[in-house]
Amino acid sequence: MSLNNFTYQLRQSVKVGNILIGGHAPIVVQSMTNTDTAEIEASVEQIKQLSDSGSELVRVTVNNEQAASAVPQIVNRLIMQGYNTPIVGDFHFNGHKLLTKYSECADSLAKYRINPGNVGRGKNRDIQFHTMIKLAIEHDKPVRIGVNWGSLDQQILAQLLDQNARLEQPRELTEINRMAVIQSALSSARMAQDIGLSSDKIIISCKMSHVNDLVAVYRELAKQSSYALHLGLTEAGMGDKGIIASTAALAILLDENIGDTIRISLTPEPGGSRTREVKVAQQILQSLNKRSFTPTVVACPGCGRTSSDYFQVLAQQIQQKMDDSIKKWRVSYPGVEEMSVAVMGCVVNGPGESKHANIGISLPGNGEQPVAPVYEDGVKTVTLKGDQIAEEFIALVEKYVVRTYR
């Protein structure tokens, strides 16, 4: 339960292709390619990988004419191969030109992402922003107005700094930067509505690179508006650092019911899969009971009672079985995503955890009898012995799925 007692407004729902974001819709997981969009085959393959891993939206960079020309071909190839994942175009600096010149690109994309800080400078900013919004209206596309900590609208920031300098007690620079991010997003959203884009076509994001900044900014956004909100810690980093920082920030906000779609912006390790950020996003949502994507495997961390790695190997095998089967299971056995499987290593917590899971096994620890009781829905059903415990338990899990979720 959230410690924040503030009641936020219900978010406006936005249709992006075949996906609904905001309102009472489930929180949507999205990701972004890191291929050169002009390389059609590579981009198609990565979008398919991301979609197969559970990304419900995929964003692509549209930074030049080659990329804009490639977008319709990418979308068409995906459709021909059975993929209807909405593709979002990421525009900076020259989006007004590309969307104007390449109308087929503008029509193929499910949403446009615009950064107010990178639309233009001076008097050109409003003109170019106006052009992109008019094109979104013409092609009936929603827009994400995405402000980034590293690319603020410098005019708004300068105004706030000037105002702050005249105060008797000036605010801290961190607070001014947060205010600039929020003002940039909300003023741009209001401008888009003034041009004619309806509120149910607007999603806002204000991405920061520090946890406390992100939490503070999104709490304020949620108070000040009812636009659908995209969450993500920008420049989160690589590996454990990026995962931990993103989880720390998003868990706070999601627990307070702030956020309608999320992306985990991990820096891929050399040779690492882009799909890792999708799995992390899913695990965050599943851990907070916001959504279920795959059966949960509960396993103890191990201790001196479990010097054998047998239960660790079995837990890994079970998790792999879940990952390999979930796509087929989800179609044939609705609700299987909510199943929990316990693989425990000794009698201390083993029977108790196994009873709480849908199906669980309590393996023998050091000095315990070489038997492994299996529990289904809180009732012991069988005791496994011998050298085939792992294989027999996996078979029992499969039977449980077929019997329970058919």
Side-chain angles (χ1 to χ4, degrees):
M1 182 177 179
S2 171
L3 297 178
N4 188 326
N5 293 322
F6 192 89
T7 301
Y8 299 105
Q9 303 177 55
L10 180 67
R11 303 291 102 190
Q12 177 74 60
S13 61
V14 180
K15 190 76 176 294
V16 181
N18 59 339
I19 299 293
L20 192 64
I21 296 174
H24 294 289
I27 297 167
V28 173
V29 172
Q30 61 178 281
S31 54
M32 184 175 184
T33 61
N34 61 357
T35 56
D36 181 347
T37 307
E39 296 181 2
I40 296 171
E41 289 300 332
S43 297
V44 168
E45 286 307 309
Q46 190 171 76
I47 292 169
K48 287 165 56 180
Q49 291 170 10
L50 290 168
S51 180
D52 288 341
S53 71
S55 183
E56 293 157 306
L57 297 178
V58 178
R59 184 158 45 115
V60 300
T61 298
V62 188
N63 58 334
N64 54 39
E65 294 195 8
Q66 292 78 14
S69 178
V71 164
Q73 299 179 65
I74 290 170
V75 172
N76 287 337
R77 292 194 190 193
L78 288 167
I79 292 171
M80 288 176 64
Q81 295 179 49
Y83 288 82
N84 61 354
T85 307
I87 305 302
V88 179
D90 190 60
F91 295 96
H92 297 273
F93 311 114
N94 59 354
H96 60 292
K97 294 180 179 179
L98 296 175
L99 286 170
T100 300
K101 183 174 181 179
Y102 293 91
S103 60
E104 196 174 350
C105 170
D107 199 49
S108 296
L109 292 168
K111 175 163 68 81
Y112 310 154
R113 191 270 191 168
I114 305 174
N115 185 336
N118 290 340
V119 172
R121 296 288 182 267
K123 63 180 181 180
N124 288 332
R125 177 194 179 278
D126 289 353
I127 295 171
Q128 292 167 189
F129 182 81
H130 187 281
T131 298
M132 296 187 75
I133 297 301
K134 289 296 286 184
L135 285 162
I137 295 169
E138 178 185 333
H139 291 276
D140 194 27
K141 305 295 180 181
V143 170
R144 171 158 74 97
I145 295 174
V147 180
N148 263 41
W149 175 261
S151 50
L152 282 173
D153 185 319
Q154 295 303 307
Q155 185 176 348
I156 288 178
L157 180 59
Q159 290 173 351
L160 288 173
L161 289 171
D162 287 343
Q163 294 170 10
N164 191 56
R166 294 192 290 269
L167 296 176
E168 290 186 11
Q169 294 182 321
R171 297 183 173 93
E172 295 288 334
L173 180 59
T174 297
E175 187 176 354
I176 298 301
N177 282 329
R178 291 174 179 174
M179 291 171 61
V181 168
I182 294 168
Q183 280 196 27
S184 180
L186 294 181
S187 64
S188 295
R190 286 191 290 270
M191 185 186 300
Q193 285 195 253
D194 289 342
I195 295 167
L197 190 68
S198 60
S199 61
D200 64 353
K201 295 286 188 182
I202 298 174
I203 298 172
I204 284 183
S205 70
C206 289
K207 290 190 172 183
M208 316 291 280
S209 56
H210 299 290
V211 172
N212 291 340
D213 290 324
L214 190 81
V215 171
V217 163
Y218 272 90
R219 281 175 172 168
E220 194 59 33
L221 273 175
K223 291 177 185 177
Q224 291 192 30
S225 78
S226 60
Y227 296 114
L229 297 177
H230 169 105
L231 295 189
L233 190 74
T234 192
E235 289 98 33
M238 182 180 288
D240 290 346
K241 184 268 181 187
I243 292 171
I244 292 167
S246 294
T247 302
L250 268 61
I252 294 170
L253 293 168
L254 291 168
D255 188 52
E256 296 176 9
N257 294 317
I258 299 174
D260 305 291
T261 177
I262 67 173
R263 184 201 169 194
I264 307 301
S265 300
L266 295 181
T267 303
E269 296 176 0
S273 173
R274 192 71 165 176
T275 61
R276 190 180 189 194
E277 65 179 44
V278 179
K279 296 301 184 184
V280 172
Q282 290 179 330
Q283 283 302 312
I284 291 172
L285 293 175
Q286 187 147 334
S287 296
L288 292 168
N289 291 323
K290 296 294 183 180
R291 288 187 67 182
S292 295
F293 297 94
T294 187
T296 300
V297 178
V298 178
C300 65
C303 64
R305 293 174 176 269
T306 58
S307 57
S308 167
D309 66 356
Y310 192 88
F311 84 95
Q312 298 165 345
V313 171
L314 179 56
Q316 185 180 49
Q317 291 175 335
I318 291 293
Q319 186 65 66
Q320 190 62 53
K321 177 66 179 178
M322 304 294 109
D323 293 342
D324 292 343
S325 303
I326 187 59
K327 190 173 181 179
K328 182 179 69 175
W329 281 357
R330 194 178 287 122
V331 174
S332 302
Y333 308 111
V336 70
E337 303 95 336
E338 299 178 6
M339 181 178 72
S340 61
V341 182
V343 181
M344 306 301 293
C346 74
V347 297
V348 173
N349 292 318
E353 287 285 359
S354 296
K355 289 176 182 178
H356 284 113
N358 293 113
I359 179 170
I361 186 170
S362 179
L363 295 163
N366 298 337
E368 297 176 10
Q369 292 186 356
V371 295
V374 174
Y375 297 82
E376 296 183 16
D377 297 322
V379 178
K380 187 169 80 169
T381 57
V382 67
T383 299
L384 302 181
K385 303 176 183 179
D387 298 329
Q388 303 299 315
I389 288 177
E391 292 82 357
E392 291 174 7
F393 182 64
I394 290 174
L396 288 173
V397 170
E398 290 181 302
K399 290 178 180 177
Y400 180 89
V401 169
V402 173
R403 184 174 66 251
T404 307
Y405 300 99
R406 60 187 175 186

